[in-house]
Amino acid sequence: MNLVVLIKQVPDTTDVKIDRNTNTLIREGVSSIVNPFDMYAVEQALQIRDEHGGKITCITMGPPQAETALRETLALGVDETILLSDRAFAGADTLATSYTLAKAISELGEFDLIICGKQAIDGDTAQVGPGIAEHLDIPHVTYVSKVEEIANRHIHVRRMTEEGYDVIASSLPALITVVKEIGEPRMPSIRGTIKARKASITTWTAKDLKINEEMVGLSGSPTQVMRIFAPEIRPGGEIIEGDSPAEKAKNLISRLKESHIL
Amino acid sequence: MNYFLTEEQQIIKELSGKIADEKIAPRAAEFDEAEEFPWDLIKILAESDLFAVWVPEEYGGLGGGVFEQCLVVEELSRACAAVAVSYAASALGGFPILLFGTDEQKQKFMPDIASGSKLAAFALTEPDAGSDAGNIRTTATRNEDHYVLNGTKQWITNGGEADIYTVIATMNPEKGPRGMTAFIVEKGTPGFDFGKKEKKMGIRSSSTRELIFKDCKVPACNLLDREGKGFLIAMRTLDRTRPGVAAQAVGIAQGALDKAAEYATTRVQFGKKIGEFQAIEHMLADMATQIEAARSLVYNVAWMIDAGERNISKASAMAKLFASDVAMKVTCDAVQIFGGYGYMRDYPVEKMMRDAKITQIYEGTNQIQRSIIGSAVVKEALRHK
């Protein structure tokens, strides 16, 4: 199995400041972690490799310091990592990000399964995974809680729904995004950590990818952030009391009349 | 304090600490209450290479020594001394093989101990042979290509859970220590069984059990070193592992201080955080100072052992004695700072105080440590006369 895991480095806290001019996060001075949902993606990949063998390549797009996120996955046992880092990629929305990541995956060559976390805890869009699948023209399944079987170039998974789960089969190659139910991420090992500290991280820039430069970074991003604000807290609703449904209805009508709604 | 750890030692400390905080601490009370061996956690330690730190690379280890072992034990003990002792006891069972085994024995047993796929245990104590280790009654008799063991070992840490046991038996009780011989006995050997599992005051999720030998045939190739070397093997092993008990004590004490300090900054009485009262502040100051002094002693003794110093009994005993007395005092004070809450099982310091007590008792009571230190001091004085 050739597995590709996509991760994102995110701020370690929800208490981050926002640049009022650009309406983007101020990342300076905030410590970074691997997006927690992406750690489940790494764990899922390791579980599949434990069972089927193969190779795991972990990719992230971000500033040079995103390298530390990749090293964390190396310590867990990921085989290879690639950092996509270029000023041209900066300011990308989910469309440009998924385009760039899809191009990087194409550059890697053959792959069987791409695994992403269900969403990043900073943007919360959950769009990049499916976006990559569309750019690569492969099937995708979101919110996967369990990989049941991989056989005959097919994958059987459970997709979490609000009521329970769907069982879905897909041909490979495919992309899945995983939820935390797939299993608690394992701890790194000492050998893995030592190896990860010494590893050299491959970095690809825009020039290394066969891309249309108009489609990456800010210029490839149709999404414009107009304003970021905390939603106003709405006062709680009012429960109309009454001894019977008929009386409640009567009380409701009179309240609406009092408020000049009726 | 900065102890100037190497990069690899730093990694070992950080990873052990992460496992302690994220995996062990949340489950310590649960395992303690159930008195259940923490296999889930032991598996995590194994997968993270922690069992490998003190084993040489040629036997599947990471090539560290007593110091690295102490770093792991200390970190794990902050969260749970029972998990830490289950980990440390495997080294106690493995050290005799590493120190006195043939290359063949090491090749056979050490890689499994280093990977954590098998736990080891050390069996010396008997009902009538505690501090008086020379008084053991478990016998070994030679019979062609094997030895036959008979007798009962008591209070064996990892008993029943471990696969590899270093067992000290006597081939001639009249000779005392010089009649003692060490063997490697594998779980599953016919005639080797497990008896009563003890119910303890502390370190309750660790296994403490009897080993029962009834005409147990141990192959001659499992003899450690030579016949009659058993007592020496036991003493040399304990010299090397006492800093581990000391590190456990430092870890327990640090865990208790961390909890007490945190509590002192949140608990309000008389309109003030109790940490702002000088009475509490001074207690915290003494606790922190004693812990740091104990840690410095433990680290220095571990370094000394790893550097190849031969004469280590006195220093090793000092580290164990001092650190375990500190652990007892500090955990008592931590309970005191928590007041009534500290006495309740809902808070972790109660368990820490129960766990601390054993560090003053096992691997040689602190009275035995004082005897070792005292006789060394007297011997040195006589030499200088």
Side-chain angles (χ1 to χ4, degrees):
Chain A
M1 291 283 288
N2 258 323
L3 301 154
V4 179
V5 179
L6 301 172
I7 67 163
K8 184 181 188 184
Q9 193 178 45
V10 295
D12 192 9
T13 167
T14 46
D15 187 32
V16 287
K17 294 202 175 72
I18 290 165
D19 184 327
R20 289 287 161 208
N21 296 322
T22 59
N23 275 342
T24 52
L25 300 174
I26 302 170
R27 293 180 181 261
E28 285 80 36
V30 180
S31 64
S32 299
I33 55 166
V34 177
N35 175 43
F37 291 116
D38 298 346
M39 293 303 275
Y40 293 102
V42 174
E43 176 59 32
Q44 181 62 78
L46 291 165
Q47 283 179 18
I48 294 172
R49 192 188 64 184
D50 286 346
E51 197 182 330
H52 299 275
K55 182 183 167 191
I56 304 170
T57 307
C58 194
I59 306 176
T60 193
M61 186 173 98
Q65 59 267 30
E67 183 187 300
T68 55
L70 291 173
R71 285 190 199 279
E72 222 177 289
T73 69
L74 282 170
L76 292 167
V78 160
D79 299 287
E80 207 175 303
T81 56
I82 293 162
L83 171 65
L84 304 177
S85 196
D86 194 315
R87 280 180 184 280
F89 299 151
D93 66 3
T94 57
L95 181 70
T97 301
S98 54
Y99 170 75
T100 312
L101 288 167
K103 285 294 174 188
I105 294 165
S106 304
E107 196 63 35
L108 274 180
E110 296 272 305
F111 62 88
D112 300 298
L113 184 64
I114 302 167
I115 309 176
C116 308
K118 71 161 181 167
Q119 66 197 50
I121 58 162
D122 53 355
D124 271 341
T125 66
Q127 289 170 352
V128 171
I132 291 166
E134 289 307 308
H135 282 299
L136 292 171
D137 199 19
I138 57 169
H140 75 265
V141 186
T142 50
Y143 305 109
V144 169
S145 60
K146 188 171 198 253
V147 173
E148 294 196 323
E149 195 187 16
I150 298 173
N152 306 319
R153 300 296 298 154
H154 276 74
I155 184 167
H156 292 248
V157 299
R158 286 184 186 184
R159 176 172 62 193
M160 276 243 295
T161 64
E162 282 187 13
E163 295 83 26
Y165 60 86
D166 302 324
V167 178
I168 297 174
S170 165
S171 59
L172 292 176
L175 180 144
I176 60 173
T177 76
V178 297
V179 294
K180 69 176 173 27
E181 282 72 13
I182 67 101
E184 211 177 315
R186 64 194 64 185
M187 282 279 153
S189 66
I190 295 171
R191 286 190 179 90
T193 309
I194 292 169
K195 199 176 122 203
R197 292 256 175 115
K198 289 177 182 161
S200 66
I201 305 284
T202 309
T203 303
W204 286 354
T205 62
K207 280 189 207 122
D208 297 306
L209 304 178
K210 295 174 192 71
I211 49 164
N212 175 351
E213 299 217 2
E214 291 297 303
M215 291 175 71
V216 300
L218 205 54
S219 57
S221 301
T223 313
Q224 296 292 318
V225 178
M226 304 302 290
R227 188 163 73 95
I228 292 182
F229 59 93
E232 280 171 35
I233 297 166
R234 290 192 303 178
E238 185 185 340
I239 292 170
I240 307 292
E241 300 292 346
D243 290 337
S244 64
E247 197 187 321
K248 283 181 192 172
K250 215 172 122 192
N251 290 344
L252 173 62
I253 297 294
S254 64
R255 287 281 288 112
L256 290 172
K257 279 185 178 159
E258 273 170 37
S259 311
H260 306 291
I261 294 169
L262 286 178
Chain B
M1 287 282 281
N2 187 340
Y3 291 100
F4 300 99
L5 304 183
T6 65
E7 191 183 358
E8 191 167 324
Q9 287 164 348
Q10 196 63 46
I11 290 171
I12 290 169
K13 185 178 157 70
E14 278 169 20
L15 181 56
S16 308
K18 186 179 160 75
I19 292 171
D21 294 334
E22 293 177 19
K23 302 288 180 186
I24 301 176
R27 301 190 62 193
E30 165 201 334
F31 278 110
D32 182 65
E33 198 63 38
E35 300 189 50
E36 179 194 324
F37 193 76
W39 270 116
D40 297 0
L41 302 175
I42 294 293
K43 201 163 158 266
I44 293 172
L45 305 185
E47 282 167 358
S48 300
D49 300 330
L50 297 189
F51 284 99
V53 299
W54 57 276
V55 179
E57 288 176 69
E58 65 250 55
Y59 304 116
L62 286 162
V66 171
F67 186 77
E68 283 76 8
Q69 151 90 356
C70 284
L71 287 177
V72 177
V73 172
E74 181 189 341
E75 287 300 310
L76 301 183
S77 299
R78 280 197 296 109
C80 178
V83 173
V85 72
S86 306
Y87 165 82
S90 199
L92 176 61
F95 261 120
I97 303 174
L98 184 63
L99 294 174
F100 297 95
T102 62
D103 188 54
E104 213 178 342
Q105 288 170 334
K106 289 187 225 179
Q107 293 290 358
K108 183 174 175 192
F109 295 106
M110 292 313 296
D112 286 339
I113 295 174
S115 70
S117 60
K118 287 182 178 173
L119 290 179
F122 178 75
L124 172 64
T125 300
E126 293 182 7
D128 293 320
S131 295
D132 185 8
N135 194 38
I136 60 168
R137 289 290 173 260
T138 296
T139 58
T141 47
R142 172 116 203 189
N143 197 345
E144 292 168 8
D145 62 343
H146 62 268
Y147 291 84
V148 179
L149 266 58
N150 275 293
T152 301
K153 291 288 171 185
Q154 182 175 261
W155 301 336
I156 305 310
T157 307
N158 284 352
E161 311 298 338
D163 283 299
I164 302 162
Y165 296 80
T166 305
V167 179
I168 313 292
T170 177
M171 297 192 69
N172 188 346
E174 280 167 21
K175 279 185 160 176
R178 278 188 302 279
M180 287 159 63
T181 302
F183 302 93
I184 305 164
V185 187
E186 290 181 81
K187 186 180 183 174
T189 306
F192 174 25
D193 215 340
F194 303 103
K196 188 174 70 164
K197 194 176 170 204
E198 304 293 343
K199 293 181 85 69
K200 307 186 292 287
M201 170 194 270
I203 55 165
R204 301 201 318 171
S205 68
S206 69
S207 170
T208 307
R209 250 178 120 168
E210 278 179 342
L211 311 186
I212 300 166
F213 301 96
K214 274 186 192 155
D215 294 327
C216 173
K217 277 164 95 173
V218 177
C221 62
N222 280 14
L223 168 72
L224 265 181
D225 204 65
R226 283 180 289 123
E227 290 177 8
K229 287 282 187 183
F231 190 76
L232 183 94
I233 289 173
M235 292 306 122
R236 289 279 175 277
T237 298
L238 292 171
D239 280 349
R240 271 175 186 267
T241 55
R242 276 185 188 120
V245 178
Q248 186 191 18
V250 171
I252 296 170
Q254 184 66 54
L257 172 63
D258 292 344
K259 294 291 173 197
E262 188 194 333
Y263 185 75
T265 60
T266 52
R267 172 71 168 169
V268 175
Q269 289 288 276
F270 305 104
K272 270 207 286 191
K273 288 174 182 145
I274 61 166
E276 290 167 19
F277 290 105
Q278 200 174 49
I280 302 292
E281 216 172 47
H282 283 189
M283 280 172 86
L284 292 170
D286 285 344
M287 290 156 82
T289 306
Q290 286 156 1
I291 292 169
E292 208 58 65
R295 182 179 288 122
S296 297
L297 180 56
V298 175
Y299 284 9
N300 266 301
V301 173
W303 271 317
M304 193 179 102
I305 294 173
D306 289 339
E309 169 69 40
R310 294 175 63 88
N311 197 357
I312 57 176
S313 298
K314 183 178 81 172
S316 172
M318 284 173 162
K320 195 268 187 188
L321 167 68
F322 187 74
S324 59
D325 282 352
V326 163
M328 198 65 247
K329 169 135 201 343
V330 166
T331 54
C332 273
D333 288 346
V335 170
Q336 193 67 25
I337 288 172
F338 271 78
Y341 290 110
Y343 201 70
M344 303 300 153
R345 287 207 179 169
D346 302 335
Y347 290 82
V349 288
E350 171 268 347
K351 173 181 181 291
M352 290 168 172
M353 183 174 157
R354 284 188 283 112
D355 288 348
K357 185 64 203 173
I358 192 63
T359 62
Q360 293 180 307
I361 298 171
Y362 62 15
E363 291 201 31
T365 62
N366 281 6
Q367 286 63 38
I368 290 292
Q369 307 307 323
R370 287 185 171 90
S371 296
I372 294 171
I373 299 160
S375 73
V377 172
V378 169
K379 235 181 250 172
E380 282 162 24
L382 287 171
R383 212 177 300 139
H384 290 133
K385 252 189 180 171

